Amino acid sequence: MFVDKNLGTTKQKQQKIDIGELEQVQKKKVKQNANINPYTGNQYSGDYYKILAVRKQLPAWDAKEQLFMLMEQYQVIVLQGETGSGKTTQIPQFLLEKYSKGRGIACTQPRRVAAMSVAKRVAEEMDVALGEEVGYSIRFEEKTSNKTILKYMTDGMLLREAMHDPKLERYSVVILDEAHERTLNTDILFGLLKEIMLKRPEDLKVVIMSATMDAEKFQKYFHNAPLLDIPGRVYPVEIFYTQKPEKSYLDAAISTTINIHAYEDPGDILVFLTGEEEIEEACKKITSEIQKLGDDVGPVRCVPLYSTLPPNQQQKIFESAPQPNKKGVQGRKIVVATNIAETSITIDGICYVVDPGFSKQKVYNPRLRVESLLASPISKASAQQRAGRAGRTRPGKCYRLYTEQSFNSELIDNTYPEILRSNLSSVVLQLKRLGIDDLVHFDFMDPPAPETLMRALEQLYYLGALDEEGNLTKFGQQMSEFPLDPQLSKVLLSSKDFYVTDEILTIVALLSVQQVFQRPKDQQQQADDARYQFVHQDGDHITFLNVFKSFKEHNESSDWCYQNFINYRSLKSADKIKAQLRQIMQKQQIPLTKTDPSNALYYTYIKKALIAGMFMQTAHLTKNGAYMTVKDSQIVAIHPCSVLNHKPEWILYQEFVLTSKNYLRTVTDIEGKWLYEMCPEYFNPKTIKNIETRKEFEKIERQVLEEQRRKPDLLTVEQIQRLHKDVKSERTQSISSSKSIQK
DNA sequence: GAGCACTGC
C-alpha cells in the first residue's frame, strides 16, 4: 500500500497498525494453508507452482538469506549481478516479505518497456493481476491501484514523484536497478536518496543493483555499503582481437562477418556499428558479397536495427535464419545494429558478435552551449556488455576489431556518465525544485564541470526561473512542472500572454518528438513535393503547426500520413504529449487563450511566444551573407532540411548541430526589434560582441526609445490586449514583469 | 544541399 502523504499522522499510524495486524492474520493463514496466496487470500493457481520451481533455480535464490542479513544491518546495500541472475524479478519479491509494512517498494528501470515487461512477469510469478499488488508507472501509463505494494517504474517517474513527495514517504524500499547505466535520472536519484536516507534512518532502505562493473564506486559513494554478489547464468564467450589496428572499422566489420559466415559453425551474428547510414551500407555489402560466394556457403538474412526504424521492420530481427540452400548448407541471420542492441533490445540465438569498438555518443560543449553526436571509442564495460550478447543461449565468440593492447591501454573503464555529457539546465531546475539550493556542494557521484553548472544557472536566470540569488522563483516552480526543456516551458507559459496557447502547445509537443517528416532514400523528390503543401514561409515552427492541423483535419489517418510522408507515430505521440502539457497548464490555472487565425497578427503572436523562451537561440545575417549567433558570435548556416528558402535578417533556431559545419535546425524568421523589445537587458547593445549586430541593436534601441517617447504607454503585450477586448483582461505576473523590464 | 546513438518526464 502506498501511503498517501496527505493523510493526517493519526490516520497514517492507524492505517499502519491495521496493515500490521492484517499481516499477522495473513501469516497465520499461511501457516494453516500453504496453498493460499498471502497477498490476495486466493488459492494459488497451478501455474504458480510451476513458475516457482523455475524461480528457485535462479542464482538470486541462493542469496536470499544473505540479502536479509545485510538489509537488517545496513540502510543501503549494493547488489551486483549479471544477466540471468534473476535480480530484477526476484530481489523485489524477497523484500516484499519483510519490508512492505504500510509502505510500498519501488524498483526503477531506465527504460519504459523494461518497467512494463518486468512488472508483467513478476505479477505472474506472484499469481496476482497486473496493476493490483504489482504494477508499473511510466509516462502516459499508470498501472497501479491502492493495493499496489510493488511498483516498477522509470527512473524519471520516481524523480517526478519526488517533486511532490520530497522524502519519498510512500516507499519503505527504493531499488535503483541498472545503476551501472548511469542515466541522468539515476544519477540525480543517487544524490537525492543519499539525502533522504539521512532524514529517514529508520524506515527507508535502499538497494543499488548493477551489472558487474562499478560496484566498488557505488559502495564507496554510499558510505562503504556492503556488496552482495550474485553470480550470473551466462555461457563463456571466447574473445578474439586483431593483430594490428584496422584502417577502416567498417570494412573490417564487413569482412569479418563474411569470414564468420563462411568458416564458422551455425549460429547468428550480431554486428555493432554506429549509425543508420553505416548500417544500411554494411547490410547491402554483406548480402551482395555473400551472394558472390555461391552455394558453398549458406544463405543469409541480413537485417538492420536502429531506433528510428519503423517497428514492423524492427520486428524482422526476430525472424529465424533462412532455410538451408539446395546443397544443404545451413542459413544464418546477421543483425547489424547500433548500440540499441547493447542494452535495449535482446536477440536470442546470437553466437557471434563483431565489435569494431565505436559508438555515437553525446558530447556537450558548455562554452558553445552545443550538444553534438560524435562517433567515439567505447569503454571496456561497453565492450564487455557487447561480448556478453554472444553467450545468452550457448557458448559464443566475440571478434574485437582492435588489438588487445588498445583494449587494455586505450579504452576507458566506463563510459562517462550522461551527467558529464549534457546540458544541465533541466537538471538544475529539477534540483532547485527538489529543494537543493547549494548545487556546488550537492553530492554528485561524478560532479559536472563547474562551467556546465554555471551555464545552466545563467540560462535559468535569463528565463526568469531563478532570481539574482539563484533561488527558484514562482515562475521557475511553474516551469519545473512541465516535462520539457526549460526554454520550451517558458515558451509554453508565455503563450497565454500572446493568445496562442493551443498553437504553442502543438508546436512544443512536435518539438518534443523526433522526425515529423519522412524522407526515404528512394523517394526523396516525392517526399519534398508532399512537404511543400505544408510549408509556411515564416519557417519550420509554423510549418509543423500546419502539418498538425492537417493531420487533425484528416482524422489522424495513418494512410494520409503515409501518402504525405509524415511520420504517423511521431504525430500520434505529439498528440499525447500535447494533451499532457495542456493538462499541466490547466492544473496550474494558466488560462488557455486564443486568437482568430484570420487576425493579421496571428503569426506574429506565435513567433513572439517562441521568442519569449528561445531568445537565447537567435542568429543575425551579416553583410557577407553568413549567419552569426547573436550572443556567442558563432558562424552558422541554416540546415538544408529547413523549409526557409529565403534569408531573413534575424532567425530563431531550435537546435544547433555540429556535423560538417555548424548548422541550425528548425528555424523561424523573426524581427530584431522584437528581440530587443522583449528582452532589452539580454540584447543590450553593449553586450553584443559582433560589431554589425551591435550596430543593428543600437539602431533598434534608438528607434524603440523614440517610439516610447511619442507613445509612452505603448507596450507590446498591451497592444495585443487591446486587440482582445473580448477576452477578459487578466494582469498576470509575466505581463507586469515584462512591462517593468521595458521601462 | 545535409544526414539523427540511445533513453526519459
Side-chain angles (χ1 to χ4, degrees):
Chain A
M1 163 77 67
F2 292 96
V3 175
D4 187 331
K5 71 181 169 87
N6 294 325
L7 286 177
T9 32
T10 12
K11 209 174 166 191
Q12 211 166 332
K13 262 185 202 157
Q14 187 67 45
Q15 193 172 358
K16 275 189 211 165
I17 291 163
D18 285 352
I19 290 167
E21 282 171 357
L22 199 71
E23 271 181 4
Q24 291 303 317
V25 175
Q26 281 171 345
K27 269 183 195 152
K28 269 184 210 155
K29 261 195 201 165
V30 174
K31 267 182 198 160
Q32 284 162 3
N33 187 349
N35 296 329
I36 298 294
N37 186 333
Y39 300 109
T40 61
N42 297 334
Q43 201 142 30
Y44 280 125
S45 68
D47 278 350
Y48 172 82
Y49 294 101
K50 270 189 226 155
I51 300 176
L52 184 65
V54 179
R55 285 172 62 198
K56 285 185 172 166
Q57 303 298 313
L58 287 165
W61 276 69
D62 303 330
K64 194 171 171 183
E65 289 313 314
Q66 210 189 341
L67 170 77
F68 286 146
M69 206 183 73
L70 290 175
M71 292 290 281
E72 197 81 4
Q73 281 180 286
Y74 296 89
Q75 193 178 11
V76 52
I77 70 163
V78 177
L79 195 149
Q80 166 181 289
E82 300 211 37
T83 34
S85 63
K87 65 179 189 313
T88 304
T89 52
Q90 307 307 305
I91 300 296
Q93 291 188 67
F94 297 160
L95 295 179
L96 274 181
E97 292 174 20
K98 295 215 170 177
Y99 297 98
S100 63
K101 294 175 192 68
R103 299 174 200 250
I105 294 180
C107 180
T108 68
Q109 298 292 320
R111 283 166 292 279
R112 284 189 214 168
V113 266
M116 256 161 63
S117 56
V118 174
K120 192 167 164 245
R121 170 71 195 174
V122 171
E124 265 170 35
E125 290 188 357
M126 286 173 56
D127 209 10
V128 300
L130 180 63
E132 300 281 310
E133 286 77 10
V134 178
Y136 62 85
S137 175
I138 59 178
R139 189 182 187 181
F140 303 128
E141 209 182 334
E142 169 92 32
K143 202 152 176 71
T144 58
S145 69
N146 59 3
K147 280 195 245 167
T148 305
I149 43 173
L150 171 56
K151 180 156 86 175
Y152 287 91
M153 64 208 296
T154 49
D155 48 10
M157 210 61 188
L158 185 62
L159 209 51
R160 280 277 142 188
E161 282 188 4
M163 282 186 183
H164 297 103
D165 177 11
K167 288 198 262 176
L168 294 174
E169 281 171 293
R170 288 192 250 187
Y171 305 108
S172 54
V173 181
V174 173
I175 305 167
L176 300 185
D177 199 3
E178 311 289 359
H180 61 280
E181 289 193 30
R182 302 290 307 274
T183 67
L184 213 48
N185 290 330
T186 298
D187 262 28
I188 301 171
L189 285 169
F190 284 152
L192 203 63
L193 280 169
K194 212 169 165 179
E195 293 200 351
I196 296 174
M197 280 193 288
L198 290 175
K199 293 175 190 151
R200 295 180 51 195
E202 299 302 324
D203 61 358
L204 176 71
K205 299 275 186 189
V206 173
V207 180
I208 309 295
M209 301 209 291
S210 136
T212 35
M213 310 295 279
D214 254 2
E216 233 175 273
K217 186 168 186 170
F218 295 143
Q219 286 179 271
K220 223 170 140 192
Y221 175 78
F222 286 106
H223 311 295
N224 298 317
L227 176 70
L228 180 55
D229 192 4
I230 302 181
R233 179 157 308 158
V234 281
Y235 297 93
V237 175
E238 203 179 342
I239 310 272
F240 300 93
Y241 294 92
T242 54
Q243 294 302 309
K244 294 182 300 205
E246 296 289 344
K247 276 196 199 94
S248 153
Y249 70 80
L250 184 57
D251 292 346
I254 294 169
S255 58
T256 305
T257 306
I258 294 168
N259 282 334
I260 295 171
H261 179 57
Y263 303 113
E264 291 285 343
D265 294 339
D268 298 336
I269 310 175
L270 173 61
V271 186
F272 284 100
L273 289 174
T274 67
E276 172 178 347
E277 207 178 323
E278 259 176 30
I279 288 172
E280 294 293 351
E281 189 189 330
C283 281
K284 221 185 276 173
K285 276 201 182 155
I286 291 170
T287 310
S288 68
E289 292 292 316
I290 286 177
Q291 257 166 10
K292 278 187 210 159
L293 297 177
D295 283 346
D296 289 335
V297 301
V300 289
R301 174 172 290 142
C302 190
V303 280
L305 176 65
Y306 43 88
S307 74
T308 48
L309 210 61
N312 61 330
Q313 295 213 45
Q314 281 193 5
Q315 282 305 311
K316 288 194 179 155
I317 60 163
F318 297 113
E319 290 172 11
S320 50
Q323 291 299 308
N325 67 10
K326 51 194 170 199
K327 277 194 182 170
V329 190
Q330 286 249 339
R332 198 190 299 267
K333 177 167 72 178
I334 301 172
V335 179
V336 187
T338 60
N339 249 10
I340 193 170
E342 199 181 296
T343 48
S344 308
I345 296 180
T346 310
I347 313 153
D348 281 329
I350 298 290
C351 302
Y352 304 96
V353 162
V354 178
D355 172 22
F358 288 91
S359 72
K360 280 195 187 166
Q361 287 165 34
K362 187 168 71 182
V363 282
Y364 178 63
N365 180 337
R367 205 149 294 167
L368 302 179
R369 304 183 179 93
V370 179
E371 280 182 353
S372 47
L373 279 176
L374 218 63
S376 329
I378 59 170
S379 62
K380 289 194 180 86
S382 193
Q384 200 183 352
Q385 182 76 16
R386 287 180 174 191
R389 294 284 159 173
R392 293 186 58 84
T393 33
R394 61 174 168 90
K397 292 178 178 175
C398 173
Y399 297 82
R400 293 184 174 158
L401 305 181
Y402 37 90
T403 62
E404 186 164 11
Q405 208 223 322
S406 45
F407 174 84
N408 287 324
S409 59
E410 285 165 33
L411 299 194
I412 53 172
D413 286 347
N414 290 288
T415 313
Y416 289 115
E418 213 185 343
I419 200 161
L420 301 183
R421 300 182 283 123
S422 311
N423 174 348
L424 294 183
S425 43
S426 204
V427 170
V428 169
L429 183 63
Q430 267 180 314
L431 289 173
K432 289 276 177 184
R433 172 60 195 267
L434 290 164
I436 290 140
D437 294 317
D438 187 1
L439 290 171
V440 181
H441 295 104
F442 182 68
D443 194 355
F444 290 107
M445 189 176 283
D446 285 281
E451 190 171 1
T452 310
L453 284 174
M454 288 309 295
R455 283 294 190 196
L457 288 165
E458 177 192 66
Q459 191 180 48
L460 291 170
Y461 167 74
Y462 283 130
L463 291 172
L466 301 178
D467 62 19
E468 283 90 346
E469 277 91 52
N471 299 312
L472 191 67
T473 61
K474 176 111 186 298
F475 193 72
Q477 177 148 355
Q478 285 187 316
M479 280 169 61
S480 70
E481 288 290 327
F482 294 96
L484 292 171
D485 253 10
Q487 302 190 90
L488 288 177
S489 302
K490 172 89 192 272
V491 169
L492 204 49
L493 285 169
S494 307
S495 66
K496 68 163 192 319
D497 299 339
F498 298 97
Y499 297 89
V500 284
T501 43
D502 193 67
E503 288 77 1
I504 292 296
L505 276 165
T506 301
I507 293 173
V508 167
L510 280 168
L511 291 172
S512 316
V513 300
Q514 47 176 7
Q515 272 191 321
V516 170
F517 294 109
Q518 308 263 38
R519 201 164 180 261
K521 271 213 164 56
D522 48 341
Q523 298 173 77
Q524 292 186 348
Q525 192 55 49
Q526 291 97 312
D528 290 347
D529 292 345
R531 195 180 67 158
Y532 188 73
Q533 61 185 309
F534 306 109
V535 169
H536 188 281
Q537 59 168 10
D538 282 351
D540 300 304
H541 294 88
I542 296 173
T543 299
F544 278 169
L545 181 62
N546 287 345
V547 172
F548 194 82
K549 281 182 179 170
S550 204
F551 173 66
K552 284 285 177 181
E553 280 160 16
H554 290 87
N555 301 316
E556 307 178 16
S557 149
S558 58
D559 286 343
W560 176 84
C561 285
Y562 184 75
Q563 281 153 18
N564 290 282
F565 295 89
I566 302 295
N567 190 329
Y568 174 71
R569 277 190 305 149
S570 297
L571 267 88
K572 279 302 256 188
S573 116
D575 198 33
K576 254 184 169 176
I577 293 172
K578 183 180 172 182
Q580 188 190 35
L581 297 176
R582 189 197 283 118
Q583 210 180 6
I584 298 172
M585 294 269 271
Q586 283 166 334
K587 211 165 143 199
Q588 302 200 70
Q589 289 163 350
I590 313 285
L592 302 178
T593 59
K594 61 178 163 191
T595 300
D596 193 299
S598 66
N599 187 315
L601 289 173
Y602 179 64
Y603 292 110
T604 302
Y605 295 162
I606 293 175
K607 292 196 280 182
K608 285 192 171 179
L610 288 171
I611 292 174
M614 301 303 308
F615 59 92
M616 281 171 269
Q617 301 195 0
T618 46
H620 180 224
L621 184 65
T622 55
K623 294 248 158 54
N624 61 18
Y627 281 100
M628 221 173 212
T629 54
V630 172
K631 273 283 179 134
D632 299 318
S633 303
Q634 293 291 308
I635 296 169
V636 290
I638 297 176
H639 197 281
C641 73
S642 171
V643 302
L644 269 189
N645 54 6
H646 61 296
K647 279 188 152 184
E649 187 179 353
W650 301 91
I651 52 176
L652 173 151
Y653 63 89
Q654 207 59 45
E655 215 184 338
F656 185 122
V657 288
L658 185 78
T659 48
S660 54
K661 262 205 245 179
N662 288 333
Y663 282 110
L664 305 184
R665 215 188 279 159
T666 314
V667 178
T668 283
D669 178 348
I670 53 161
E671 286 179 26
K673 195 177 164 199
W674 299 342
L675 293 179
Y676 184 81
E677 283 174 339
M678 293 175 65
C679 325
E681 193 190 359
Y682 188 79
F683 293 106
N684 180 340
K686 291 191 186 75
T687 67
I688 308 291
K689 281 181 234 151
N690 179 267
I691 295 179
E692 263 182 64
T693 309
R694 190 199 309 148
K695 281 193 173 150
E696 258 333 291
F697 275 118
E698 282 167 354
K699 213 161 86 189
I700 291 169
E701 188 176 43
R702 281 196 297 274
Q703 199 186 334
V704 170
L705 288 174
E706 179 61 26
E707 279 173 17
Q708 282 182 359
R709 230 189 331 272
R710 271 188 273 139
K711 304 181 208 166
D713 283 339
L714 191 72
L715 290 170
T716 334
V717 173
E718 293 194 339
Q719 277 179 327
I720 296 160
Q721 284 192 327
R722 280 189 206 139
L723 292 162
H724 288 274
K725 291 230 172 71
D726 51 325
V727 185
K728 213 163 127 194
S729 154
E730 195 178 349
R731 289 233 146 223
T732 59
Q733 199 193 353
S734 60
I735 290 179
S736 45
S737 68
S738 66
K739 185 176 172 182
S740 64
I741 287 170
Q742 296 202 355
K743 277 190 172 166

